[in-house]
């Protein structure tokens, strides 16, 4: 049964509609008299656009979402001997950004259904060496930021929000990125506000964090005097062509998010009755949702994956293994320590295509193919 549909998970035509804009920008900036390709006026305007849209004290564009996490933790003074509590389920930068500062990631288990890190687990794992907690929004669901805000205050630790997947999401009236002392965005192509290349940003309500991160992203310089290095920094600068392109694309961003949310609503409504047959959609809601990825939990996950592939539908497994089970991070897992919900999720999770230019008929086709599997 291949009705001619071919639905990739990473669509090659993601930026097709804006192709001419991109080519014009390459020519304009590439041949401009200033010959400025990083951290110029386009980057400054892009940062201001995001700052105004969020009501942030500062937004600092940088080389990647990963780099943004590292810069924030460094700006907060995280260093050797410190612990940072991170989710046991998620992407490598959650732990690597901590390790790369010489500090220790402490893994906390997730909520079994929402798959975001569990506040009680984080609370339990805070010690007198804990410098910060780093909840992450996952796939389509924001972490319980009101609880983490309360927790950070009560336990006296810094709160960093990994909002890399959640740009544009709002929880209880507060945008993703603005719950933590600082948050991060990623603009890597597949993210909700992705672009054709590598980039990220730090968003913060604390101007001092903004000032430090600005220095750290460009070799410890203050942006006024060149070759005066106040601190040991990094190269994590932002590209002018991408800044101009993202500034242009920001206009359509809210609409693209709406389309993602509409697809997610459709999926969740149709899939809810399949839960008793081992295909479990995320809990329905609009508050605190981002729909970067739409993830099911499926008992016969690999079989469903194959079933969809045979029907021309590509899926993806984020993530096949909990972080402490990775060789790179195994030394940070205490002996006998377990993260049962993360282990269970990594064996069951499956992401369906949800990009905004999926047609209604493609969405219906995917939905029908999943339904057919669950009922078989
Ligand atoms: C994508 C992602 C990052 C890293 O962003 P890059 O731009 O790919 O470096 C960090 N955290 C989470 C939760 C992400 O999904």
């Amino acid at each position: 049964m291949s009705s001619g549909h071919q639905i990739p998970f990473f669509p090659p035509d993601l930026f097709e509609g804006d192709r001419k804009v991109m080519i014009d920008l390459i020519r304009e900036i590439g041949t401009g008299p200033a010959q400025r390709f990083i951290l110029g006026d386009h980057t400054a305007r892009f940062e201001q656009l995001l700052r105004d849209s969020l009501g942030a004290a500062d937004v600092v564009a940088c080389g990647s979402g990963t780099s943004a996490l590292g810069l924030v933790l460094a700006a907060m003074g995280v260093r050797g001997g410190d612990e940072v509590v991170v989710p046991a389920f998620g992407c490598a930068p959650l732990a690597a950004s901590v390790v790369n500062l010489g500090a220790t990631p402490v893994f906390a288990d997730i909520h079994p259904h929402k798959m975001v890190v569990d506040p009680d687990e984080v609370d339990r794992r805070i010690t007198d060496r804990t410098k910060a907690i780093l909840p992450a929004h996952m796939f389509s669901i924001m972490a319980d930021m009101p609880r983490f805000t309360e927790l950070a205050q009560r336990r006296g630790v810094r709160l960093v929000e990994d909002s890399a997947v959640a740009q544009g999401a709002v929880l209880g009236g507060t945008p993703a990125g603005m719950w933590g002392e600082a948050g991060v965005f990623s603009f890597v192509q597949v993210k909700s506000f992705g672009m054709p290349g590598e980039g990220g940003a730090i968003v913060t309500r604390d101007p001092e964090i903004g000032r430090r991160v600005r220095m750290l992203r460009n070799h410890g310089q203050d942006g006024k005097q060149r070759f005066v290095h106040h601190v040991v920094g990094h190269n994590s600068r932002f590209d002018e062509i991408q800044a101009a392109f993202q500034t242009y694309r920001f206009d359509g961003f809210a609409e693209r998010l709406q389309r993602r949310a509409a697809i997610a609503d459709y999926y969740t409504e149709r899939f809810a009755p399949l839960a008793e047959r081992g295909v479990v959609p995320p809990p329905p809601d609009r508050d605190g949702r981002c729909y970067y990825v739409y993830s099911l939990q499926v008992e016969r996950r690999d079989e469903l994956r194959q079933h969809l592939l045979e029907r021309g539908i590509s899926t993806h497994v984020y993530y096949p293994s909990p972080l402490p089970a990775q060789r790179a991070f195994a030394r940070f897992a205490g002996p006998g320590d377990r993260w049962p919900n993360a282990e269970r999720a990594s064996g069951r999770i499956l992401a369906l295509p949800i990009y905004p230019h999926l047609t209604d008929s493609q969405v219906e086709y995917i939905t029908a193919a999943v339904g057919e599997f669950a009922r078989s």
Side-chain angles (χ1 to χ4, degrees), residues 119-168:
D120 291 328
E121 260 281 294
V122 172
D123 196 0
R124 187 167 81 74
R125 292 183 181 265
I126 290 174
T127 71
D128 51 15
R129 298 204 306 164
T130 306
K131 180 94 176 194
I133 57 176
L134 178 50
H137 312 313
M138 287 293 285
F139 315 122
S140 60
I141 303 186
M142 282 179 67
D144 189 344
M145 295 313 295
R147 291 263 334 260
F148 286 114
T149 303
E150 180 274 326
L151 182 56
Q153 273 162 6
R154 177 162 52 80
R155 302 296 303 268
V157 295
R158 314 285 308 251
L159 177 60
V160 181
E161 179 185 358
D162 185 345
S163 41
V165 303
Q167 189 172 1

Side-chain angles (χ1 to χ4, degrees), residues 28-179:
E28 181 193 314
I29 294 168
T31 60
Q35 286 298 287
R36 182 103 201 213
F37 298 112
I38 48 150
L39 298 189
D41 293 343
H42 292 288
T43 302
R45 272 200 293 274
F46 178 49
E47 290 176 337
Q48 175 147 17
L49 179 67
L50 295 181
R51 186 161 66 230
D52 293 347
S53 75
L54 293 164
D58 207 354
V59 170
V60 185
C62 66
S64 69
T66 301
S67 175
L69 277 179
L71 294 179
V72 167
L73 293 171
M76 288 182 169
V78 171
R79 55 194 164 94
D82 293 335
E83 293 175 354
V84 179
V85 184
V86 306
F89 190 54
C91 59
L94 285 167
S97 60
V98 176
V99 177
N100 286 336
L101 289 167
T104 303
V106 174
F107 295 105
D109 206 2
I110 56 171
H111 183 281
H113 189 193
K114 295 180 177 170
M115 295 186 278
V116 287
V117 68
D118 176 350
D120 291 328
E121 260 281 294
V122 172
D123 196 0
R124 187 167 81 74
R125 292 183 181 265
I126 290 174
T127 71
D128 51 15
R129 298 204 306 164
T130 306
K131 180 94 176 194
I133 57 176
L134 178 50
H137 312 313
M138 287 293 285
F139 315 122
S140 60
I141 303 186
M142 282 179 67
D144 189 344
M145 295 313 295
R147 291 263 334 260
F148 286 114
T149 303
E150 180 274 326
L151 182 56
Q153 273 162 6
R154 177 162 52 80
R155 302 296 303 268
V157 295
R158 314 285 308 251
L159 177 60
V160 181
E161 179 185 358
D162 185 345
S163 41
V165 303
Q167 189 172 1
V170 176
L171 174 64
T174 298
M178 295 296 290
W179 278 96

